[in-house]
Amino acid sequence: MKWFHIESRLAWTDSLVHTGLLAGASLLISQNLAYYHPQKGKYLYLLVYATILSVIWLTFSTCLMRSIFPYKTEYYHWMIDALPVRYIIGWLIITGMGMKSLVWHELGEQRALMARKDATERMAREAELFKLRQQLQPHFLFNSLNSINALIMLRPQQAREMVLKLSDFLRGSIKREDQQWISLTEELQYLEWYLDIEKVRFGHRLSTEVSSVVEAQAMQMPPMLLQPVVENAIKYGLYDTTEAITITIRAWKEDELLKIEVRNPFDPVLQQPHRGTGFGLSSIRRRLYLLFARNDLLETQAIDNIYTTLIKVPQPNDKSSNH
């Protein structure tokens, strides 16, 4: 039996030798480009490398076949005629394997680069979030210590009570230091400790109404999110008046969001809260943006001497919250 006027044994040997060596050349360029990647002119490097390797492959295959069958003149002439076609096919296969290796490596580098970028951005966000949380504590602590100092001589019993409540508040904040999420119930408990301190400071002038629907109480939120909002409400509601005020805080679930509203009265003659929300609200806005990449999660408005702050908290398992 003959193929192209070549004996079958000779044809099979020719096929095995050329195919085997071609596979070896393809593996060689693939492995080489997996570990060596020129920074400049990599595609030119690939073309030159594939061209040289194709010449070596075809030359070695031809010489090997001539050494195995030295007296097959008819086969030798056929092999010479087939060299251009074999070279083109071999070059395409070797170049394709090299290109595959280059593309695979570039995709891997891009994935690694994106992973490093994401890790860096995540660390930067976490560092900024930590900084924002830490900035809130001294601000509140200084106010509390000043109040305690003022109460020591005039009302020592209230000063002692305020120290104990401040201790409970700080102990609770330390426990939440490493927590990224807490339930609404836990946040309201933390807020209650804070309000206990403020009520010692302001006495009967400050009262609060806190309410939450049952389905919202287990919903998650970042810790210490409400304290600066309520502190802002106390600042604009009490600091420039001698009258008593009531701050209303309510929470509910709506459209898979935890919504929390804080309302306080203010004097429009003395205060213009819509023009300057202070560090507290700006820090909350920034925290929400860092967590959810959204700028619409904190809303404020002043209508009929009532200042309203609305916070919307997407839930951690809500995939749409990051878009």
Side-chain angles (χ1 to χ4, degrees):
M1 181 178 179
K2 292 185 177 183
W3 294 341
F4 298 101
H5 305 289
I6 303 297
E7 297 176 8
S8 60
R9 183 174 67 90
L10 192 57
W12 277 108
T13 305
D14 177 273
S15 176
L16 290 174
V17 168
H18 282 83
T19 303
L21 292 176
L22 179 60
S26 299
L27 181 62
L28 176 63
I29 193 172
S30 179
Q31 290 298 314
N32 179 265
L33 291 176
Y35 295 100
Y36 173 69
H37 307 279
Q39 297 298 317
K40 296 181 179 180
K42 54 187 172 183
Y43 293 108
L44 178 61
Y45 172 82
L46 169 63
L47 293 177
V48 173
Y49 190 4
T51 300
I52 295 174
L53 196 57
S54 298
V55 171
I56 294 174
W57 157 71
L58 195 54
T59 302
F60 187 74
S61 300
T62 302
C63 292
L64 183 60
M65 287 302 298
R66 288 194 63 182
S67 66
I68 297 174
F69 302 101
Y71 305 111
K72 299 292 184 178
T73 305
E74 184 179 359
Y75 164 72
Y76 176 70
H77 289 300
W78 175 85
M79 187 168 55
I80 295 298
D81 293 337
L83 283 178
V85 176
R86 278 186 163 171
Y87 176 80
I88 293 173
I89 294 174
W91 183 86
L92 289 174
I93 293 174
I94 292 173
T95 303
M97 290 297 293
M99 183 66 72
K100 171 182 172 294
S101 182
L102 274 181
V103 171
W104 182 264
H105 171 73
E106 287 184 352
L107 290 175
E109 282 190 333
Q110 289 178 3
R111 287 192 293 268
L113 180 62
M114 290 300 297
R116 290 194 298 270
K117 182 180 178 182
D118 290 343
T120 301
E121 290 178 350
R122 183 172 61 254
M123 291 174 64
R125 285 197 303 270
E126 291 174 354
E128 186 173 354
L129 284 168
F130 180 78
K131 179 181 177 182
L132 288 171
R133 288 173 58 176
Q134 295 305 306
Q135 285 176 322
L136 292 172
Q137 290 296 348
H139 178 68
F140 163 69
L141 187 58
F142 292 152
N143 288 341
S144 299
L145 291 176
N146 286 333
S147 298
I148 292 171
N149 181 58
L151 288 172
I152 286 176
M153 296 300 295
L154 300 176
R155 290 175 286 175
Q157 181 59 33
Q158 284 187 317
R160 181 175 180 276
E161 180 183 351
M162 192 169 181
V163 168
L164 293 176
K165 292 183 181 297
L166 180 61
S167 175
D168 291 337
F169 176 82
L170 294 177
R171 187 181 299 111
S173 65
I174 291 173
K175 289 180 180 179
R176 288 165 172 76
E177 194 67 39
D178 297 326
Q179 291 181 274
Q180 292 186 343
W181 299 94
I182 61 174
S183 68
L184 172 65
T185 300
E186 292 176 294
E187 178 72 358
L188 291 179
Q189 175 61 60
Y190 182 79
L191 184 64
E192 183 180 344
W193 292 335
Y194 165 74
L195 288 173
D196 285 344
I197 297 170
E198 295 294 67
K199 287 176 181 178
V200 173
R201 290 177 62 193
F202 295 104
H204 70 281
R205 294 177 56 212
L206 174 63
S207 60
T208 57
E209 295 178 359
V210 182
S211 63
S212 61
V213 299
V214 175
E215 61 181 359
Q217 292 173 359
M219 297 183 76
Q220 300 293 297
M221 63 183 298
M224 294 185 286
L225 196 67
L226 291 181
Q227 183 260 324
V229 178
V230 175
E231 183 177 3
N232 188 76
I234 293 173
K235 173 183 175 182
Y236 286 106
L238 272 176
Y239 280 14
D240 292 313
T241 182
T242 58
E243 298 180 0
I245 69 164
T246 298
I247 295 176
T248 304
I249 304 162
R250 66 187 188 96
W252 70 97
K253 178 181 179 181
E254 182 178 322
D255 298 329
E256 300 304 320
L257 295 173
L258 171 60
K259 292 191 173 183
I260 307 170
E261 182 185 75
V262 179
R263 293 163 57 93
N264 65 276
F266 75 99
D267 189 336
V269 177
L270 299 175
Q271 300 284 356
Q272 291 183 329
H274 58 289
R275 291 188 181 178
T277 57
F279 172 75
L281 293 188
S282 64
S283 69
I284 295 303
R285 190 185 305 277
R286 182 60 180 168
R287 283 181 67 188
L288 291 171
Y289 176 77
L290 290 172
L291 288 168
F292 304 107
R294 290 175 56 177
N295 288 314
D296 62 337
L297 299 179
L298 178 65
E299 299 176 2
T300 59
Q301 63 177 356
I303 301 176
D304 296 332
N305 297 354
I306 298 295
Y307 189 71
T308 303
T309 302
L310 176 64
I311 298 175
K312 295 175 283 187
V313 183
Q315 294 306 285
N317 58 353
D318 182 5
K319 295 181 179 180
S320 64
S321 64
N322 293 325
H323 298 283

